[in-house]
Amino acid sequence: SLGSAVPLQPEGCTGTSVSRAMAAKFERLVETERPDGWGSIREVLNAPLQDVAGDESWLSVIGMWLLFPLNLIQGIFGGLIQALFVQLSLGFACLPGTQGAVLSDRPCSMAWVWWRYTFAALTALIANGRSRLALFMWEWEAFGKDRFWWHGEGVWCWSYADCDKILRSEQGRKSAFGAVRACVPDLFASNILIFLPNTSSDSEWAAIRRSLHMHFLDTGLEQYRTRVKQLPKLIGGDWKKPKHEDLSEITLLQKTVAKCIFFVMFGQWITEAESEILIGWRTNAALFILPRLVQRFIGNVGIKKVKKLREDTVGLVEKYGLEHSFVAMNNSMSDRWRRTPVVKLCDEIMYVVGFAGIGGTCAACESVGSFLQVKIPAESAAEHIKWGKFDSRLKMITKYKESPEKYIKETCRLVPPVTSAT
């Protein structure tokens, strides 16, 4: 309708200039339809960096590049020899490790301990089949299979009792992921749920979580249940004549997951091209775990990709006119926790939806698909997975049909879809 209202090309104007004028006019029209206080996602993404350590400075990055061969050699040996890896983590004699740097608040003068540790951790990850779970088990073994071990910037534990106790307790969280300081606000959105302390019922974490469930994730709502019931028909429309072998079509699985999650939350069955955008939350998974030092070492390529992903994800919300849902969610919270502009809240929620909802669910579906075909999933702790008597597709399918929920949970226990350890 906008195109039909545009006059014929005036004399002296090129087709390109008219196209640009139309685009600019359309953009202004769309902007005027945004709710009051919505704001710009680009301003949110380009806000000042937060909590950048001295050893992550550009000066440190230059030093890391200048001493690259030396760092790489030390890192290779450290990532293959467990005793040396422990020394790089905890220090040896008068030489500090990453633990010492953390206790000293990570000054630039101690950046060199991170240079070699970075390559050691990368080498160990590759040596363990690129499986984070296998890496953590290797590290646990390196530290003597004790109750705790050191990884990144913090202490890790492995037992069910300790993990369960932590999950049930109040947690004084901060902007960190996998015991590594998060890149905020360019790679990670600030103040997302996993960064907020859950210290009381009136905390920011509690307020956002309540509001998120009230507006999007209340399984008791008729609208939510109706959408879930519609999924089989919608999936069938895209995935015609499904075959067992289709489970190996990873992109097909990922796009289906992205479409389902977006539909359950917003009631929109997105297009193939739009699902291609959202599967970036899965395909870019390796970029989220890299600390700022590494991001800068590779020229911020990873951060640029994720910023584009976040902008495009919010763009889908704007395209379908779904801003009102986030305005309502923002207004439902007290003044203390409201976001200004509102698009910041949208970015935070969509980050969690994309990062955990789409990325994590894709990983789980890929693993279940592999198990049903009696295949070891990529990036799994392969040497620790044994099929036992379930050594054929028929046996696997039969077991799955007995209890799909239990089968999926067991798959996720063997191949954790998110962080892989606590």
Side-chain angles (χ1 to χ4, degrees), residues 34 38-39 41 313-323 343:
R34 298 271 181 263
W38 180 254
I41 181 59
T313 300
V314 171
L316 286 180
V317 172
E318 295 173 339
K319 174 183 175 179
Y320 285 107
L322 301 168
E323 301 98 326
V343 71

Side-chain angles (χ1 to χ4, degrees), residues 202-384:
D202 66 343
S203 66
E204 182 179 8
W205 172 86
I208 293 177
R209 192 172 185 273
R210 278 195 302 268
S211 188
L212 175 61
H213 279 264
M214 179 172 65
H215 290 275
F216 295 109
L217 303 177
D218 186 350
T219 57
L221 290 176
E222 182 62 30
Q223 185 181 60
Y224 186 100
R225 294 198 300 268
T226 299
R227 289 175 182 174
V228 171
K229 290 178 181 178
Q230 291 176 308
L231 289 179
K233 183 177 180 180
L234 292 168
I235 295 172
D238 285 354
W239 196 341
K240 303 181 186 300
K241 297 181 180 180
K243 304 182 299 297
H244 199 89
E245 292 72 20
D246 290 345
L247 295 173
S248 296
E249 297 293 331
I250 301 302
T251 301
L252 174 61
L253 285 178
Q254 293 172 346
K255 287 184 175 181
T256 302
V257 168
K259 289 181 178 183
C260 288
I261 290 178
F262 200 89
F263 180 78
V264 170
M265 289 200 66
F266 302 111
Q268 294 286 343
W269 190 254
I270 58 177
T271 66
E272 282 289 298
E274 291 164 348
S275 66
E276 187 72 36
I277 293 172
L278 293 183
I279 67 173
W281 291 101
R282 171 57 177 155
T283 57
N284 290 314
L287 302 176
F288 295 106
I289 63 175
L290 302 178
R292 189 172 297 282
L293 176 62
V294 179
Q295 298 285 359
R296 287 180 165 180
F297 186 78
I298 60 176
N300 278 336
V301 172
I303 285 179
K304 291 174 184 176
K305 284 185 177 181
V306 174
K307 286 175 73 172
K308 180 66 166 59
L309 173 61
R310 289 167 61 188
E311 182 177 349
D312 290 345
T313 300
V314 171
L316 286 180
V317 172
E318 295 173 339
K319 174 183 175 179
Y320 285 107
L322 301 168
E323 301 98 326
H324 62 278
S325 298
F326 295 95
V327 172
M329 178 179 174
N330 201 47
N331 291 338
S332 69
M333 297 187 292
S334 69
D335 293 342
R336 288 187 300 167
W337 312 131
R338 286 179 187 168
R339 302 297 194 252
T340 303
V342 181
V343 71
K344 185 176 185 300
L345 177 66
C346 176
D347 178 48
E348 292 171 10
I349 299 304
M350 294 309 296
Y351 198 104
V352 175
V353 171
F355 183 65
I358 296 175
T361 307
C362 282
C365 289
E366 292 164 29
S367 296
V368 171
S370 294
F371 271 47
L372 288 171
Q373 298 177 87
V374 201
K375 294 180 179 179
I376 300 293
E379 301 181 15
S380 63
E383 65 181 80
H384 299 284

